[in-house]
Amino acid sequence: DIQMTQSPSTLSASVGDRVTITCRASQSISSWLAWYQQKPGKAPNLLIYKASSLESGVPSRFSGSGSGTDFTLTINSLQPDDYATYYCQQYNSYWTFGQGTKVEIK
Amino acid sequence: QLQLQESGSGLVTPSQTLSLTCAVSGGSISSGGSSWSWIRQPPGEGLEWIGYIYHSGSTYYNPSLNSRVSISVDKSKNQFSLKLRSVTAADTAVYYCARAREQAYFDYWGRGSLVTVSS
């Protein structure tokens, strides 16, 4: 099965910062990658699919890039509502998630 | 707007069977291109995909849980269900149902149902 590894596990940032989260797959998954945001006590919310396609209704400050095994989620100008945990998920071969990256207030 | 809602027992005794149902509203569970999954999240931990079912009834389960899991669909009620047998404390988690658009990424989720395994 395909393993997904995110880094860092925790990230401290200030409002207005540019934030980058990395996700690495244990084998090539082409562009079959999604990103989710999860806030405490809530279900995950889809942000990005097919590595770089922005889900409808998601602010344009979120962007995704990458293909093969290395992927990045970028948040331009971090907003107070963005403090949350972010997960990557591959769907090349069934589904597996990364372990999550928590974005904290600096 | 599609909505999913989990229901079932919040407390299960060790070695017994966990049972949850996901009711789908605002759309048909038989819509083409969609599959229906169960995903769980232990307290303070990450997400684990459990398995999926297609409206035809075809299923696939996470190999790590395969021997204990079954998922079924009731198209007449527009719902699907999860059974997890021989549970232990390690199965304590919030259980989510979700739709996979184009059998790919999860675009609609239920609110989650906390299931605690304890005697």
Side-chain angles (χ1 to χ4, degrees), chain A residues 34 36 38 41-46 49-50 55 87 89 91 94-99, chain B residues 35 37 39 41 45-49 52 60 96 100-101 103-107 109-110:
Chain A
Y36 301 85
Q38 186 179 34
K42 301 293 186 182
N45 181 50
L46 177 67
Y49 61 93
K50 206 174 180 183
E55 174 69 351
Y87 292 93
Q89 173 236 324
Y91 50 94
Y94 298 102
W95 297 276
T96 49
F97 294 88
Q99 81 278 17
Chain B
S35 62
S37 280
I39 296 159
Q41 185 171 37
E45 298 186 24
L47 299 159
E48 179 182 35
W49 173 72
Y52 87 82
Y60 188 81
Y96 295 101
R101 185 194 303 167
Q103 300 198 61
Y105 40 89
F106 301 108
D107 59 346
W109 296 67

Short mmCIF file of all heavy atoms in Angstrom, two decimals, chain A residues 34 36 38 41-46 49-50 55 87 89 91 94-99, chain B residues 35 37 39 41 45-49 52 60 96 100-101 103-107 109-110:
data_model
loop_
_atom_site.label_atom_id
_atom_site.label_comp_id
_atom_site.label_asym_id
_atom_site.label_seq_id
_atom_site.Cartn_x
_atom_site.Cartn_y
_atom_site.Cartn_z
N ALA A 34 -5.20 14.85 -2.93
CA ALA A 34 -6.11 15.86 -2.41
C ALA A 34 -5.58 16.40 -1.08
O ALA A 34 -4.79 15.74 -0.40
CB ALA A 34 -7.50 15.27 -2.20
N TYR A 36 -6.97 18.44 2.55
CA TYR A 36 -8.12 18.75 3.39
C TYR A 36 -7.69 19.63 4.56
O TYR A 36 -6.56 19.54 5.05
CB TYR A 36 -8.75 17.47 3.97
CG TYR A 36 -9.22 16.49 2.93
CD1 TYR A 36 -8.34 15.58 2.38
CD2 TYR A 36 -10.54 16.48 2.50
CE1 TYR A 36 -8.75 14.67 1.41
CE2 TYR A 36 -10.97 15.58 1.53
CZ TYR A 36 -10.07 14.68 0.99
OH TYR A 36 -10.50 13.80 0.03
N GLN A 38 -8.95 20.48 8.51
CA GLN A 38 -9.82 20.01 9.58
C GLN A 38 -9.66 20.89 10.81
O GLN A 38 -8.55 21.10 11.28
CB GLN A 38 -9.55 18.55 9.96
CG GLN A 38 -10.55 18.00 10.97
CD GLN A 38 -10.30 16.56 11.34
OE1 GLN A 38 -9.16 16.11 11.40
NE2 GLN A 38 -11.38 15.80 11.60
N GLY A 41 -13.17 19.13 16.26
CA GLY A 41 -14.56 18.74 16.38
C GLY A 41 -15.35 18.75 15.09
O GLY A 41 -16.56 18.53 15.12
N LYS A 42 -14.67 18.98 13.97
CA LYS A 42 -15.35 19.05 12.67
C LYS A 42 -14.80 18.01 11.71
O LYS A 42 -13.69 17.50 11.90
CB LYS A 42 -15.16 20.44 12.05
CG LYS A 42 -15.68 21.58 12.88
CD LYS A 42 -17.19 21.56 13.00
CE LYS A 42 -17.71 22.80 13.72
NZ LYS A 42 -19.18 22.77 13.88
N ALA A 43 -15.60 17.70 10.70
CA ALA A 43 -15.13 16.81 9.65
C ALA A 43 -14.12 17.54 8.76
O ALA A 43 -14.15 18.77 8.66
CB ALA A 43 -16.30 16.33 8.81
N PRO A 44 -13.25 16.81 8.10
CA PRO A 44 -12.34 17.44 7.14
C PRO A 44 -13.11 18.12 6.02
O PRO A 44 -14.22 17.71 5.67
CB PRO A 44 -11.51 16.26 6.62
CG PRO A 44 -11.56 15.24 7.71
CD PRO A 44 -12.95 15.38 8.28
N ASN A 45 -12.47 19.14 5.45
CA ASN A 45 -13.07 19.90 4.36
C ASN A 45 -12.12 19.89 3.17
O ASN A 45 -10.94 20.24 3.31
CB ASN A 45 -13.33 21.34 4.81
CG ASN A 45 -13.99 22.18 3.74
OD1 ASN A 45 -15.00 21.77 3.15
ND2 ASN A 45 -13.42 23.34 3.45
N LEU A 46 -12.63 19.49 2.00
CA LEU A 46 -11.80 19.39 0.80
C LEU A 46 -11.36 20.78 0.33
O LEU A 46 -12.17 21.67 0.14
CB LEU A 46 -12.60 18.70 -0.31
CG LEU A 46 -11.94 18.57 -1.67
CD1 LEU A 46 -10.74 17.62 -1.60
CD2 LEU A 46 -12.94 18.07 -2.71
N TYR A 49 -7.95 19.18 -5.12
CA TYR A 49 -7.96 17.83 -5.66
C TYR A 49 -7.12 17.80 -6.93
O TYR A 49 -6.77 18.85 -7.50
CB TYR A 49 -9.39 17.34 -5.93
CG TYR A 49 -10.17 18.17 -6.92
CD1 TYR A 49 -10.18 17.84 -8.27
CD2 TYR A 49 -10.87 19.30 -6.51
CE1 TYR A 49 -10.88 18.61 -9.18
CE2 TYR A 49 -11.57 20.08 -7.41
CZ TYR A 49 -11.58 19.71 -8.75
OH TYR A 49 -12.26 20.48 -9.65
N LYS A 50 -6.77 16.63 -7.34
CA LYS A 50 -5.89 16.43 -8.50
C LYS A 50 -4.65 17.31 -8.39
O LYS A 50 -4.22 17.93 -9.36
CB LYS A 50 -6.63 16.69 -9.81
CG LYS A 50 -6.02 15.94 -10.99
CD LYS A 50 -6.86 16.10 -12.24
CE LYS A 50 -6.24 15.35 -13.39
NZ LYS A 50 -6.98 15.54 -14.66
N GLU A 55 -10.99 23.42 -5.02
CA GLU A 55 -12.40 23.07 -4.86
C GLU A 55 -13.25 24.35 -4.85
O GLU A 55 -12.82 25.39 -4.34
CB GLU A 55 -12.60 22.28 -3.57
CG GLU A 55 -14.04 21.97 -3.19
CD GLU A 55 -14.73 20.97 -4.11
OE1 GLU A 55 -14.15 20.61 -5.16
OE2 GLU A 55 -15.85 20.52 -3.76
N TYR A 87 -4.43 17.76 5.99
CA TYR A 87 -4.10 16.38 5.61
C TYR A 87 -4.00 16.27 4.09
O TYR A 87 -4.83 16.82 3.36
CB TYR A 87 -5.19 15.41 6.06
CG TYR A 87 -5.31 15.24 7.56
CD1 TYR A 87 -6.19 16.02 8.29
CD2 TYR A 87 -4.54 14.29 8.23
CE1 TYR A 87 -6.30 15.86 9.67
CE2 TYR A 87 -4.64 14.13 9.60
CZ TYR A 87 -5.52 14.91 10.32
OH TYR A 87 -5.63 14.75 11.68
N GLN A 89 -4.00 13.34 0.97
CA GLN A 89 -4.63 12.04 0.77
C GLN A 89 -4.40 11.60 -0.68
O GLN A 89 -4.67 12.36 -1.61
CB GLN A 89 -6.14 12.13 1.03
CG GLN A 89 -6.94 10.88 0.68
CD GLN A 89 -8.07 11.17 -0.29
OE1 GLN A 89 -8.71 12.22 -0.24
NE2 GLN A 89 -8.34 10.23 -1.18
N TYR A 91 -5.23 9.09 -3.90
CA TYR A 91 -6.29 8.23 -4.42
C TYR A 91 -5.85 7.54 -5.71
O TYR A 91 -6.65 7.25 -6.60
CB TYR A 91 -7.61 8.97 -4.57
CG TYR A 91 -7.56 10.29 -5.31
CD1 TYR A 91 -7.83 10.35 -6.67
CD2 TYR A 91 -7.29 11.49 -4.65
CE1 TYR A 91 -7.83 11.56 -7.35
CE2 TYR A 91 -7.27 12.69 -5.32
CZ TYR A 91 -7.54 12.72 -6.67
OH TYR A 91 -7.53 13.93 -7.34
N TYR A 94 -6.69 3.05 -4.07
CA TYR A 94 -7.59 3.23 -2.93
C TYR A 94 -7.23 4.53 -2.23
O TYR A 94 -6.95 5.52 -2.90
CB TYR A 94 -7.59 1.98 -2.06
CG TYR A 94 -8.09 0.81 -2.89
CD1 TYR A 94 -7.20 -0.12 -3.43
CD2 TYR A 94 -9.44 0.70 -3.22
CE1 TYR A 94 -7.66 -1.14 -4.26
CE2 TYR A 94 -9.89 -0.31 -4.04
CZ TYR A 94 -9.00 -1.22 -4.57
OH TYR A 94 -9.44 -2.22 -5.39
N TRP A 95 -7.29 4.57 -0.90
CA TRP A 95 -7.11 5.86 -0.23
C TRP A 95 -6.23 5.74 1.00
O TRP A 95 -6.48 4.89 1.86
CB TRP A 95 -8.48 6.40 0.21
CG TRP A 95 -9.42 6.68 -0.90
CD1 TRP A 95 -9.47 7.82 -1.66
CD2 TRP A 95 -10.48 5.83 -1.39
NE1 TRP A 95 -10.49 7.72 -2.59
CE2 TRP A 95 -11.13 6.51 -2.44
CE3 TRP A 95 -10.94 4.57 -1.04
CZ2 TRP A 95 -12.19 5.98 -3.16
CZ3 TRP A 95 -12.00 4.03 -1.75
CH2 TRP A 95 -12.61 4.73 -2.79
N THR A 96 -5.22 6.59 1.13
CA THR A 96 -4.48 6.73 2.37
C THR A 96 -4.20 8.20 2.62
O THR A 96 -4.04 8.98 1.67
CB THR A 96 -3.15 5.95 2.35
OG1 THR A 96 -2.43 6.25 1.15
CG2 THR A 96 -3.37 4.47 2.45
N PHE A 97 -4.13 8.55 3.89
CA PHE A 97 -3.93 9.92 4.32
C PHE A 97 -2.54 10.09 4.91
O PHE A 97 -1.96 9.15 5.47
CB PHE A 97 -4.95 10.30 5.40
CG PHE A 97 -6.38 10.34 4.94
CD1 PHE A 97 -7.16 9.20 4.96
CD2 PHE A 97 -6.95 11.52 4.50
CE1 PHE A 97 -8.49 9.22 4.54
CE2 PHE A 97 -8.27 11.57 4.08
CZ PHE A 97 -9.03 10.41 4.10
N GLY A 98 -2.04 11.31 4.82
CA GLY A 98 -0.86 11.68 5.59
C GLY A 98 -1.24 11.80 7.06
O GLY A 98 -2.42 11.78 7.43
N GLN A 99 -0.23 11.99 7.91
CA GLN A 99 -0.47 12.02 9.35
C GLN A 99 -0.95 13.37 9.85
O GLN A 99 -1.34 13.50 11.01
CB GLN A 99 0.80 11.60 10.11
CG GLN A 99 1.82 12.71 10.29
CD GLN A 99 2.72 12.92 9.07
OE1 GLN A 99 2.42 12.46 7.97
NE2 GLN A 99 3.83 13.61 9.30
N SER B 35 -18.74 6.84 -4.94
CA SER B 35 -18.69 5.71 -4.02
C SER B 35 -18.80 6.25 -2.60
O SER B 35 -18.63 7.46 -2.38
CB SER B 35 -17.40 4.90 -4.20
OG SER B 35 -16.27 5.69 -3.91
N SER B 37 -17.87 5.87 1.48
CA SER B 37 -16.82 5.32 2.35
C SER B 37 -17.08 5.56 3.82
O SER B 37 -17.84 6.46 4.19
CB SER B 37 -15.46 5.96 2.00
OG SER B 37 -14.86 5.38 0.88
N ILE B 39 -14.62 6.31 7.16
CA ILE B 39 -13.29 6.78 7.56
C ILE B 39 -13.35 7.00 9.06
O ILE B 39 -14.36 7.47 9.58
CB ILE B 39 -12.95 8.10 6.83
CG1 ILE B 39 -12.87 7.86 5.32
CG2 ILE B 39 -11.64 8.70 7.34
CD1 ILE B 39 -13.03 9.12 4.48
N GLN B 41 -11.22 8.25 12.87
CA GLN B 41 -10.16 9.09 13.43
C GLN B 41 -10.12 8.87 14.94
O GLN B 41 -10.96 9.41 15.67
CB GLN B 41 -10.42 10.56 13.10
CG GLN B 41 -9.32 11.50 13.55
CD GLN B 41 -9.51 12.90 13.02
OE1 GLN B 41 -10.64 13.40 12.92
NE2 GLN B 41 -8.43 13.56 12.64
N GLU B 45 -5.66 11.71 16.81
CA GLU B 45 -4.84 11.08 15.78
C GLU B 45 -5.32 11.45 14.37
O GLU B 45 -6.21 12.28 14.20
CB GLU B 45 -4.83 9.56 15.96
CG GLU B 45 -4.23 9.13 17.31
CD GLU B 45 -4.10 7.62 17.41
OE1 GLU B 45 -4.03 6.94 16.38
OE2 GLU B 45 -4.06 7.13 18.56
N GLY B 46 -4.73 10.80 13.37
CA GLY B 46 -5.05 11.09 11.98
C GLY B 46 -6.20 10.25 11.46
O GLY B 46 -6.88 9.53 12.18
N LEU B 47 -6.39 10.34 10.14
CA LEU B 47 -7.52 9.71 9.47
C LEU B 47 -7.15 8.36 8.87
O LEU B 47 -6.07 8.20 8.30
CB LEU B 47 -8.00 10.64 8.35
CG LEU B 47 -8.48 12.02 8.80
CD1 LEU B 47 -8.45 13.01 7.65
CD2 LEU B 47 -9.89 11.92 9.38
N GLU B 48 -8.04 7.40 9.01
CA GLU B 48 -7.84 6.06 8.45
C GLU B 48 -9.06 5.67 7.63
O GLU B 48 -10.18 5.62 8.15
CB GLU B 48 -7.60 5.03 9.55
CG GLU B 48 -7.40 3.62 9.03
CD GLU B 48 -7.21 2.60 10.12
OE1 GLU B 48 -7.82 2.75 11.20
OE2 GLU B 48 -6.46 1.62 9.89
N TRP B 49 -8.85 5.37 6.35
CA TRP B 49 -9.93 4.91 5.50
C TRP B 49 -10.25 3.46 5.84
O TRP B 49 -9.35 2.63 5.94
CB TRP B 49 -9.53 5.04 4.03
CG TRP B 49 -10.51 4.43 3.09
CD1 TRP B 49 -11.74 4.89 2.76
CD2 TRP B 49 -10.33 3.22 2.35
NE1 TRP B 49 -12.34 4.04 1.86
CE2 TRP B 49 -11.49 3.01 1.59
CE3 TRP B 49 -9.29 2.29 2.26
CZ2 TRP B 49 -11.65 1.91 0.75
CZ3 TRP B 49 -9.44 1.20 1.42
CH2 TRP B 49 -10.62 1.02 0.68
N TYR B 52 -15.10 1.06 1.28
CA TYR B 52 -16.11 1.74 0.48
C TYR B 52 -17.09 0.75 -0.10
O TYR B 52 -16.83 -0.44 -0.19
CB TYR B 52 -15.47 2.57 -0.63
CG TYR B 52 -15.18 1.82 -1.92
CD1 TYR B 52 -16.16 1.62 -2.88
CD2 TYR B 52 -13.90 1.34 -2.19
CE1 TYR B 52 -15.89 0.96 -4.06
CE2 TYR B 52 -13.63 0.66 -3.36
CZ TYR B 52 -14.63 0.47 -4.30
OH TYR B 52 -14.35 -0.20 -5.46
N TYR B 60 -14.79 -2.64 -1.16
CA TYR B 60 -13.38 -2.92 -0.92
C TYR B 60 -13.03 -2.37 0.44
O TYR B 60 -13.47 -1.28 0.80
CB TYR B 60 -12.49 -2.29 -1.99
CG TYR B 60 -11.05 -2.74 -1.84
CD1 TYR B 60 -10.65 -3.97 -2.33
CD2 TYR B 60 -10.13 -1.95 -1.16
CE1 TYR B 60 -9.34 -4.41 -2.16
CE2 TYR B 60 -8.83 -2.38 -0.98
CZ TYR B 60 -8.44 -3.61 -1.49
OH TYR B 60 -7.16 -4.05 -1.32
N TYR B 96 -16.56 8.63 10.45
CA TYR B 96 -17.18 9.50 9.45
C TYR B 96 -17.64 8.66 8.26
O TYR B 96 -16.95 7.72 7.84
CB TYR B 96 -16.18 10.52 8.91
CG TYR B 96 -15.66 11.53 9.89
CD1 TYR B 96 -14.41 11.40 10.48
CD2 TYR B 96 -16.41 12.68 10.20
CE1 TYR B 96 -13.91 12.34 11.35
CE2 TYR B 96 -15.92 13.63 11.08
CZ TYR B 96 -14.68 13.45 11.65
OH TYR B 96 -14.19 14.40 12.52
N ALA B 100 -17.06 9.80 -2.11
CA ALA B 100 -15.91 10.02 -2.98
C ALA B 100 -16.42 10.39 -4.36
O ALA B 100 -17.02 9.57 -5.06
CB ALA B 100 -15.03 8.78 -3.04
N ARG B 101 -16.20 11.64 -4.74
CA ARG B 101 -16.56 12.11 -6.08
C ARG B 101 -15.66 11.40 -7.09
O ARG B 101 -14.45 11.34 -6.92
CB ARG B 101 -16.36 13.62 -6.20
CG ARG B 101 -16.82 14.22 -7.51
CD ARG B 101 -16.29 15.63 -7.69
NE ARG B 101 -16.66 16.51 -6.62
CZ ARG B 101 -16.09 17.71 -6.43
NH1 ARG B 101 -15.13 18.13 -7.24
NH2 ARG B 101 -16.48 18.48 -5.43
N GLN B 103 -15.19 8.53 -7.44
CA GLN B 103 -14.47 7.48 -6.71
C GLN B 103 -13.04 7.91 -6.42
O GLN B 103 -12.12 7.10 -6.45
CB GLN B 103 -14.50 6.17 -7.49
CG GLN B 103 -15.92 5.68 -7.75
CD GLN B 103 -15.96 4.22 -8.13
OE1 GLN B 103 -15.55 3.37 -7.36
NE2 GLN B 103 -16.46 3.93 -9.32
N ALA B 104 -12.86 9.19 -6.11
CA ALA B 104 -11.51 9.72 -5.96
C ALA B 104 -11.32 10.45 -4.63
O ALA B 104 -10.79 9.91 -3.69
CB ALA B 104 -11.19 10.63 -7.14
N TYR B 105 -11.74 11.70 -4.54
CA TYR B 105 -11.53 12.51 -3.35
C TYR B 105 -12.88 12.72 -2.66
O TYR B 105 -13.94 12.68 -3.27
CB TYR B 105 -10.89 13.85 -3.74
CG TYR B 105 -11.46 14.44 -4.99
CD1 TYR B 105 -12.57 15.27 -4.95
CD2 TYR B 105 -10.90 14.13 -6.23
CE1 TYR B 105 -13.11 15.78 -6.10
CE2 TYR B 105 -11.44 14.64 -7.39
CZ TYR B 105 -12.54 15.47 -7.33
OH TYR B 105 -13.08 15.96 -8.47
N PHE B 106 -12.80 12.97 -1.35
CA PHE B 106 -13.99 13.04 -0.50
C PHE B 106 -14.51 14.46 -0.43
O PHE B 106 -13.90 15.33 0.21
CB PHE B 106 -13.67 12.49 0.88
CG PHE B 106 -13.18 11.06 0.85
CD1 PHE B 106 -11.86 10.75 1.09
CD2 PHE B 106 -14.06 10.02 0.56
CE1 PHE B 106 -11.40 9.44 1.05
CE2 PHE B 106 -13.62 8.71 0.51
CZ PHE B 106 -12.29 8.41 0.76
N ASP B 107 -15.65 14.70 -1.08
CA ASP B 107 -16.16 16.07 -1.13
C ASP B 107 -17.33 16.33 -0.18
O ASP B 107 -17.64 17.49 0.10
CB ASP B 107 -16.56 16.44 -2.57
CG ASP B 107 -17.62 15.52 -3.16
OD1 ASP B 107 -17.88 14.44 -2.59
OD2 ASP B 107 -18.17 15.89 -4.20
N TRP B 109 -18.89 15.00 3.66
CA TRP B 109 -18.65 14.22 4.86
C TRP B 109 -19.82 14.35 5.82
O TRP B 109 -20.48 15.39 5.86
CB TRP B 109 -17.40 14.73 5.59
CG TRP B 109 -16.11 14.61 4.86
CD1 TRP B 109 -15.73 15.29 3.73
CD2 TRP B 109 -14.98 13.82 5.25
NE1 TRP B 109 -14.46 14.93 3.37
CE2 TRP B 109 -13.96 14.05 4.29
CE3 TRP B 109 -14.72 12.94 6.30
CZ2 TRP B 109 -12.71 13.41 4.35
CZ3 TRP B 109 -13.48 12.32 6.37
CH2 TRP B 109 -12.50 12.55 5.41
N GLY B 110 -20.06 13.32 6.61
CA GLY B 110 -20.96 13.47 7.73
C GLY B 110 -20.27 14.23 8.85
O GLY B 110 -19.08 14.54 8.76
#
